[in-house]
Amino acid sequence: MKIFIDTAKLSEIREAISWGIVDGITTNPSLIRKAVEEEKRDMSLEEYVAEILKVAGKDRPVSLEVMSVKAEDMIREAEVLHKKFNDIADNVVIKIPVNTYAGYYEGLKAIKKLSEEGIRVNCTLVMTPEQALLAAKAGAKYVSPFAGRIDDYLRDKKLNMRRGTDYQKGDYYPWEGRNVDDNGIVSGVDLVSTIVDIFVNYNFDTEIIASSMRNARQVREVALTGVDIATIPFKVLEDMLLHPKTEEGVKKFSEDAKKAGYEDLFH
Ligand code: E4P
């Protein structure tokens, strides 16, 4: 499974790349906003985005999202972003929502057109297997099912729970023994797994990015589905690394190393 980092913060991107585990980067307008508010110092937004692409380098695709909702506007924005930034490291991918509002089919139109132009598209805000199937047919290079947000949806709508009061964003879901579903999909991991099962039947070039990852266990479970990619926030990467027994072991080993006079070995 490839790992993308789901952030626009340069500090997190640099740190995770230094661990040797990053195959790509995904951003969205909310992540860009957070990075700008917390990190951007004396750079313009354009310089900041250019820096992300440079730090990522040629072999790590970076997803940048459009902001409009009409196909012609999304296509124009995607072309501008691609033209402006792709020469830096040939790694620009454009995020297009699978659909923008009921009754209009702007997402698929934009995906089709951009894919025909050779611009790689990451179809975002995928909440059902059917959307993923249509996006792949329209030519998306990636589809991004939002596992965490489907878990939110099930908890909020089906269980009448309130985020921040009854459960926290990072809580693992589903709970044992609870049986709610969204048209047969019982959790975010189930959404990813169902899309993987569907795509195995066909020769789509489209890769699946398990997105909206909220905790380490969810990453483990999407890895078990054989999904191509998981895009993971920095906090969840930390979560994947930490275990109290690892920390305790390191502490004990370094104490014993000192007591055994280990330093001598390194001169
Ligand atoms: C990545 O492509 C998505 O934009 C991101 O994973 C969404 O995560 P969130 O649901 O935690 O905001």
Side-chain angles (χ1 to χ4, degrees):
M1 183 177 77
K2 285 182 268 187
I3 290 181
F4 288 5
I5 183 165
D6 195 22
T7 184
K9 287 191 190 168
L10 272 168
S11 59
E12 293 180 344
I13 293 168
R14 287 202 175 96
E15 177 66 18
I17 286 178
S18 78
W19 301 351
I21 51 111
V22 177
D23 302 298
I25 293 151
T26 50
T27 71
N28 64 37
S30 308
L31 293 172
I32 295 266
R33 180 181 170 193
K34 211 166 171 200
V36 165
E37 286 172 359
E38 292 173 24
E39 277 207 340
K40 190 165 80 77
R41 302 266 185 270
D42 31 8
M43 270 187 233
S44 67
L45 182 57
E46 196 167 322
E47 288 165 340
Y48 194 85
V49 169
E51 190 62 19
I52 293 176
L53 295 162
K54 202 156 32 150
V55 168
K58 194 171 109 13
D59 298 323
R60 293 190 190 90
V62 178
S63 292
L64 302 172
E65 193 154 345
V66 294
M67 64 181 286
S68 289
V69 292
K70 286 204 163 151
E72 61 189 47
D73 299 329
M74 293 192 285
I75 291 165
R76 187 186 52 77
E77 288 168 5
E79 288 167 347
V80 170
L81 287 173
H82 194 265
K83 187 152 185 250
K84 193 180 275 192
F85 294 115
N86 196 52
D87 280 351
I88 296 172
D90 192 21
N91 55 358
V92 169
V93 173
I94 303 294
K95 263 185 166 182
I96 302 283
V98 64
N99 203 36
T100 48
Y101 44 100
Y104 295 84
Y105 306 104
E106 306 294 304
L108 293 184
K109 276 185 222 163
I111 291 167
K112 176 182 184 292
K113 178 78 171 43
L114 292 166
S115 304
E116 281 170 0
E117 288 175 14
I119 295 179
R120 288 174 291 178
V121 173
N122 174 354
C123 175
T124 190
L125 288 163
V126 168
M127 305 294 171
T128 71
E130 299 79 35
Q131 290 176 330
L133 183 61
L134 293 175
K137 292 281 296 179
K141 166 76 184 134
Y142 304 98
V143 291
S144 291
F146 275 36
R149 291 198 193 188
I150 282 301
D151 289 344
D152 292 344
Y153 181 71
L154 291 169
R155 282 179 287 210
D156 296 347
K157 302 276 185 232
K158 309 263 174 180
L159 297 170
N160 289 323
M161 299 190 82
R162 287 158 305 157
R163 161 126 55 108
T165 313
D166 299 333
Y167 69 94
Q168 301 298 312
K169 184 174 175 179
D171 287 352
Y172 177 75
Y173 180 83
W175 302 292
E176 302 300 330
R178 296 286 190 118
N179 189 18
V180 290
D181 70 273
D182 178 33
N183 199 20
I185 295 298
V186 298
S187 69
V189 171
D190 186 34
L191 169 65
V192 172
S193 160
T194 306
I195 297 171
V196 170
D197 288 350
I198 291 172
F199 280 28
V200 160
N201 293 327
Y202 306 102
N203 281 330
F204 294 134
D205 289 332
T206 313
E207 290 183 86
I208 304 162
I209 309 180
S211 305
S212 190
M213 295 282 99
R214 302 288 175 74
N215 53 63
R217 182 166 166 187
Q218 200 180 31
V219 175
R220 180 207 311 167
E221 291 183 3
V222 297
L224 280 168
T225 71
V227 74
D228 304 292
I229 303 157
T231 189
I232 307 176
F234 190 77
K235 195 186 160 307
V236 177
L237 288 174
E238 289 178 316
D239 204 19
M240 289 165 69
L241 262 181
L242 299 176
H243 193 281
K245 292 300 279 182
T246 305
E247 218 168 299
E248 181 192 286
V250 168
K251 200 165 160 246
K252 176 81 173 110
F253 287 155
S254 50
E255 280 164 12
D256 285 345
K258 272 185 211 130
K259 286 180 189 155
Y262 246 49
E263 286 95 339
D264 289 352
L265 299 178
F266 308 116
H267 291 307

